[in-house]
Amino acid sequence: MAFKSSGINPQKFHVSQLKFYLFLVPFAIFMALPIIFIFNHAFKPLDELYAFPPRFFVSNPTLENFQNLSQLAEQSGIPLSRYVFNSLFVTVIVVFLSLALSTLAGYALSKKQFRGKKMLLEVNNTALMFVPIAVMIPRFLTVTTIGIEDTYFAHVLPLVAMPVGLFLIKQFIDQIPDSLIEAAVIDGATDFKIYWRVILPLIKPAIATAAILAFQLVWNDMETSNLYTTSENMRTLAFFMNTLAAQTNVVVGQGMAAVASMIMFVPNLILFVFLQSKVMNTMAHSGLK
């Protein structure tokens, strides 16, 4: 048999998998075409941007578009590196805090018994139905009331709570047998030690999936820069790239827009490549293998 154990993500190639490759490879190539085009478009010189009919692949790659993008950022008085730093700093902080909050709350809601537990679960499930625009005004009032506008806290606080991450992790923890936790209690483990030494190692796939969701949410977010900041040096790369796309309507600007799209896309691609096996396990495996 080609698939052993769980049947997901086999370690070695088997001839019986050929039928899947024949079906999936053409679709994979078709879906990869926009990515290949963006990478090629970002390195095209001016004459190839004007070429008609348009060329899919670049013939004479150049870094001119990257230089133009950097110069455009400097014309506003803020170097491109500042936007990159803001995005990286905010993303790392939000992902870390979101995962910490989701795993701790998921453990408590899954394995602990306390008054109001069902109500808290229903509140989180209800929050899944709200789109970001529905909570825009409450978020704005909260940020202005506590006086953190135009600071990094304004970027972090509105995005830390991620109901879908909590729901995903809580459902994953539900599959861990209670007997495993009871054995740890008998051995004298505290609640935090159980969380750190038992729960976290068993929910790594769910953590990886929640990390990807949180990263994509924060990395592509423009709401905090639009609503909660007024200083240009406090805004993120996503905000700058969005304003760039709105301002560059000429053919020359297509190269810079392609560079901007590539810069925003590459971190998502890298993260998914490294964590994709964990994502598959989250969807297909239980808490214990």
Side-chain angles (χ1 to χ4, degrees):
M1 293 294 292
F3 300 97
K4 297 181 180 180
S5 183
S6 65
I8 301 298
N9 292 340
Q11 297 297 321
K12 296 182 180 180
F13 174 78
H14 191 276
V15 67
S16 64
Q17 300 174 21
L18 282 176
K19 56 182 177 293
F20 298 106
Y21 283 101
L22 291 175
F23 180 77
L24 294 175
V25 167
F27 284 97
I29 294 175
F30 179 77
M31 296 181 66
L33 290 178
I35 301 174
I36 297 173
F37 177 78
I38 284 293
F39 276 89
N40 280 271
H41 203 59
F43 292 95
K44 286 181 180 178
L46 187 60
D47 58 337
E48 293 187 37
L49 289 172
Y50 274 106
F52 185 84
R55 300 175 183 175
F56 190 88
F57 295 102
V58 58
S59 300
N60 302 300
T62 178
L63 297 176
E64 181 181 359
N65 296 322
F66 292 86
Q67 296 171 355
N68 293 337
L69 179 63
S70 179
Q71 292 172 2
L72 183 65
E74 291 176 357
Q75 289 176 3
S76 65
I78 306 297
L80 185 62
S81 57
R82 178 67 184 188
Y83 294 107
V84 175
F85 171 79
N86 289 343
S87 287
L88 289 176
F89 179 76
V90 171
T91 301
V92 169
I93 296 298
V94 172
V95 171
F96 174 78
L97 292 179
S98 179
L99 291 179
L101 180 63
S102 297
T103 52
L104 286 168
Y107 169 51
L109 292 173
S110 176
K111 297 302 181 182
K112 296 296 180 181
Q113 300 298 327
F114 54 91
R115 184 175 300 177
K117 173 181 174 178
K118 292 184 178 180
M119 183 189 69
L120 291 175
L121 285 173
E122 292 302 322
V123 169
N124 184 77
N125 294 339
T126 303
L128 292 171
M129 299 187 295
F130 288 93
V131 295
I133 195 172
V135 295
M136 184 182 298
I137 294 178
R139 281 180 175 177
F140 179 80
L141 294 176
T142 302
V143 169
T144 54
T145 299
I146 61 181
I148 60 173
E149 62 270 19
D150 211 24
T151 66
Y152 284 117
F153 291 106
H155 287 287
V156 173
L157 186 61
L159 302 177
V160 167
M162 192 174 67
V164 65
L166 173 57
F167 176 80
L168 179 66
I169 291 175
K170 187 265 179 188
Q171 294 299 109
F172 207 87
I173 297 177
D174 283 345
Q175 300 174 53
I176 298 177
D178 291 337
S179 57
L180 193 62
I181 298 176
E182 292 170 358
V185 173
I186 293 175
D187 289 338
T190 62
D191 283 336
F192 182 78
K193 190 172 183 179
I194 294 173
Y195 162 78
W196 186 259
R197 301 292 296 273
V198 178
I199 300 298
L200 289 186
L202 292 176
I203 63 171
K204 286 181 179 179
I207 293 175
T209 305
I212 292 177
L213 295 175
F215 180 89
Q216 291 178 335
L217 173 67
V218 183
W219 183 254
N220 299 312
D221 178 73
M222 295 180 295
E223 177 185 318
T224 55
S225 293
N226 274 323
L227 300 179
Y228 313 136
T229 60
T230 55
S231 301
E232 195 67 26
N233 62 351
M234 289 301 302
R235 286 172 169 161
T236 60
L237 185 63
F239 174 85
F240 172 72
M241 296 305 181
N242 183 68
T243 57
L244 172 69
Q247 294 172 2
T248 54
N249 296 321
V250 296
V251 176
V252 180
Q254 291 183 6
M256 289 188 290
V259 171
S261 300
M262 187 185 71
I263 292 175
M264 296 302 299
F265 172 74
V266 166
N268 292 279
L269 177 64
I270 294 175
L271 187 66
F272 182 79
V273 167
F274 280 101
L275 299 181
Q276 60 88 19
S277 62
K278 298 294 184 181
V279 175
M280 290 293 295
N281 291 334
T282 303
M283 304 305 173
H285 290 180
S286 63
L288 290 175
K289 300 181 182 178

